[in-house]
Amino acid sequence: MLAVAFALVAASPARAQGHSAQDARRWEQHSLTRPKPPVIDPGPPLPSAHAPSDAIVLFDGHGLSHWEKADDATPGAAGWKTEDDYTEVAGGAGNIRTKQSFGDLQMHIEWSTPTPPHGESQERGNSGVFLMGMYEIQILDSYENETYADGQAASVFGQYPPLVNASRAPGQWQSFDIVFHRPRFTKSGALARPAFVTVLHNGVLVQDNVELLGPTAHQRRPSYAAHADKLPVTLQDHGFPVRFRNVWIRNLE
């Protein structure tokens, strides 16, 4: 297994920079005046990391047998194209989701935005990882691309900007390492404990065990509603040919 060195950002600056739930709520969603995270160089792309022996490998370059079309009305085979060691969003094919459901998890996923880049702000290399199908970690070409702070790459979409912008140039492989703890609900359906997520972007800590305010959404912040303990992970078709490779999950339940 390859050894991966993580560049860690201390927890105390995270809280000071508005990464508490209280601070997140005081900002208008997608505010253009919300401070942008500082840009850093995460270093060159590393060779693709091997999955741990207890991981569920969801994509290793050999087809999408672990995925399906994310449409409850007409479920079917995932319609994205697979070439070499990656799968690529096929515009119009729709979102895809795992056939298996997950709750608490550790997830590794590698992705690459199109080159040469086209568009700006949210119209440039846009996709996303939706934990339990409803809690989004944003994928975006955020390399020299201005957008609102809570919508750039590695944001908890509409809630928390990343601590730093650790994006690589379009066309280069990037990675997310995610640790997610699902929300807990009482038998009556009330929220007992919110969800929490930690994210490393290209080996750099960018979300430090932040408390999710509820499901993520564009221009709105839905409240928690009771749902199943385990649900599929969804990858988004936002109309851009974003590529993915080396996707695996460790079940932490």
Side-chain angles (χ1 to χ4, degrees), residues 30-205:
H30 312 320
S31 170
L32 295 177
T33 61
R34 190 170 186 175
K36 307 292 193 302
V39 176
I40 69 163
D41 180 357
L46 298 173
S48 195
H50 296 298
S53 62
D54 63 346
I56 300 165
V57 178
L58 296 168
F59 181 75
D60 61 0
H62 297 97
L64 292 169
S65 61
H66 292 278
W67 302 81
E68 64 184 5
K69 184 177 180 180
D71 185 342
D72 291 331
T74 56
W80 294 8
K81 62 182 180 180
T82 302
E83 296 184 8
D84 300 326
D85 66 342
Y86 65 84
T87 184
E88 181 178 292
V89 177
N95 301 343
I96 64 173
R97 67 185 177 198
T98 57
K99 293 180 179 178
Q100 187 168 346
S101 293
F102 301 93
D104 295 351
L105 60 76
Q106 175 188 349
M107 181 177 188
H108 176 85
I109 186 167
E110 297 169 17
W111 52 275
S112 174
T113 58
T115 185
H118 296 285
E120 58 185 20
S121 188
Q122 295 292 297
E123 297 302 314
R124 184 165 147 179
N126 195 325
S127 183
V129 178
F130 286 77
L131 305 165
M132 307 193 85
M134 65 184 80
Y135 306 104
E136 182 185 10
I137 307 302
Q138 173 79 323
I139 288 174
L140 192 76
D141 179 357
S142 289
Y143 185 82
E144 299 180 353
N145 178 33
E146 289 291 321
T147 192
Y148 41 82
D150 63 7
Q152 74 167 64
S155 63
V156 177
F157 187 74
Q159 297 185 17
Y160 297 99
L163 291 169
V164 293
N165 180 349
S167 297
R168 295 193 177 109
Q172 295 188 24
W173 283 104
Q174 311 199 48
S175 66
F176 283 162
D177 288 281
I178 300 167
V179 176
F180 174 72
H181 293 282
R182 64 175 175 83
R184 265 62 175 177
F185 300 95
T186 66
K187 291 182 178 179
S188 65
L191 180 67
R193 191 184 76 190
F196 288 84
V197 69
T198 295
V199 181
L200 292 94
H201 182 195
N202 295 329
V204 179
L205 184 66

